[in-house]
Amino acid sequence: LDPAITSITLTVGRDKSDAAVTVPVKVLSNSDNIFVIPESVSFAAGESETTLEVTFPNAEMGTEYSFEITFDSEYINPYKGASLSRTVMQRIKWENIGMGVYIDGTVSTFFGVSPMAVGLEIEKADLGSSIKYRFYNAYAPAENYKDPVIYDGYPYNETFLGDRLFVLTSTIDGVSMQVAKTGLDLNYGEMVIGSVYGNLSNDIKTYPLGTITGDVITFPLNSLFIQDNDGASPAGKNETKLYLSIDAYKASLQ
């Protein structure tokens, strides 16, 4: 979250909406008691949805916090599963570091097509023990390219499904990619991408994290997975790379 944000709003729904009711909120966890969570949530008669605002005015920059809330069993239909919200948040100040180049190795492996260079704006946040990088719409449809061939989107996509955010985190252990929707649907449902390790497996030898050398982040073979409606598949043949500057990408071509 941007540092200016000090609250989030959750939506709470119910099945039976004929009468007004106030339902106590049950807090299961609250990191450092940083979150101010209402004691109850109220519905007016005929109202099937309402909101619950959680504030965190004293949250420190760069620190990850989480909370978990539910309701007592008497308010929950056991045949519809658990009524639970777990939220993890972090306030971060991002810095734009300019244009970089993303080269996907997952979709290209999955469908046997050539990897393509996509130009995009990259933002960076230095959190001390880790550095985060983020960018948007790496798989949005391409319209143009420039020399050397850097597209302004992904050439194999023809449909824009809306803005999609990608976040990488670099620590002493390596670089991970947060699981993200790609906005790419090749007739098998929207594809999702992310690090295998920590999401689908805890075998870091078989599914390694990425590495960063200079201005180049490299996800090696089997580091990332790509998933559609047919299930998840680790990337196998091509590396995925993020060049943190155009100059770094040009240097790789020499």
Side-chain angles (χ1 to χ4, degrees), residues 32 53 56 58 95 118 129 156 168 177 180 188-189 222 254:
D32 300 330
E53 185 178 42
F56 37 90
N58 299 318
E95 169 195 5
V118 177
S129 60
Y156 300 115
L168 312 183
M177 178 183 286
Y188 299 94
N222 293 321
Q254 297 176 358

Side-chain angles (χ1 to χ4, degrees), residues 30-218:
N30 184 352
S31 299
D32 300 330
N33 289 317
I34 206 72
F35 297 98
V36 181
I37 303 172
E39 295 181 353
S40 63
V41 60
S42 296
F43 294 86
E47 192 175 43
S48 59
E49 284 190 353
T50 189
T51 57
L52 176 73
E53 185 178 42
V54 178
T55 62
F56 37 90
N58 299 318
E60 298 288 338
M61 289 284 295
T63 301
E64 188 172 275
Y65 301 98
S66 65
F67 69 89
E68 199 167 26
I69 60 175
T70 186
F71 304 100
D72 285 329
S73 58
E74 63 183 289
Y75 297 101
I76 299 173
N77 185 339
Y79 299 102
K80 294 201 172 184
S83 180
L84 177 73
S85 174
R86 183 173 189 271
T87 301
V88 181
M89 77 90 189
Q90 191 176 41
R91 298 172 71 196
I92 294 177
K93 181 65 176 177
W94 294 93
E95 169 195 5
N96 189 304
I97 60 173
M99 180 71 70
V101 176
Y102 175 77
I103 300 181
D104 163 84
T106 58
V107 177
S108 56
T109 292
F110 204 65
F111 287 95
V113 295
S114 300
M116 296 292 185
V118 177
L120 33 75
E121 294 286 328
I122 301 175
E123 294 178 302
K124 175 183 177 181
D126 190 339
L127 305 179
S129 60
S130 67
I131 297 177
K132 289 183 178 289
Y133 301 91
R134 75 177 183 181
F135 48 90
Y136 290 85
N137 301 334
Y139 298 89
E143 296 181 2
N144 302 292
Y145 67 88
K146 55 186 176 181
D147 187 40
V149 180
I150 302 173
Y151 292 87
D152 63 353
Y154 195 60
Y156 300 115
N157 190 12
E158 297 180 353
T159 304
F160 184 64
L161 297 179
D163 287 330
R164 298 292 188 266
L165 172 65
F166 301 82
V167 179
L168 312 183
T169 302
S170 175
T171 69
I172 192 172
D173 298 318
V175 184
S176 60
M177 178 183 286
Q178 181 177 304
V179 177
K181 294 181 178 180
T182 63
L184 178 67
D185 185 347
L186 299 178
N187 299 319
Y188 299 94
E190 181 173 3
M191 295 186 127
V192 175
I193 190 174
S195 292
V196 176
Y197 178 73
N199 292 300
L200 302 180
S201 173
N202 291 320
D203 182 359
I204 198 168
K205 290 185 178 180
T206 304
Y207 303 107
L209 293 174
T211 60
I212 182 168
T213 303
D215 283 340
V216 184
I217 294 174
T218 302

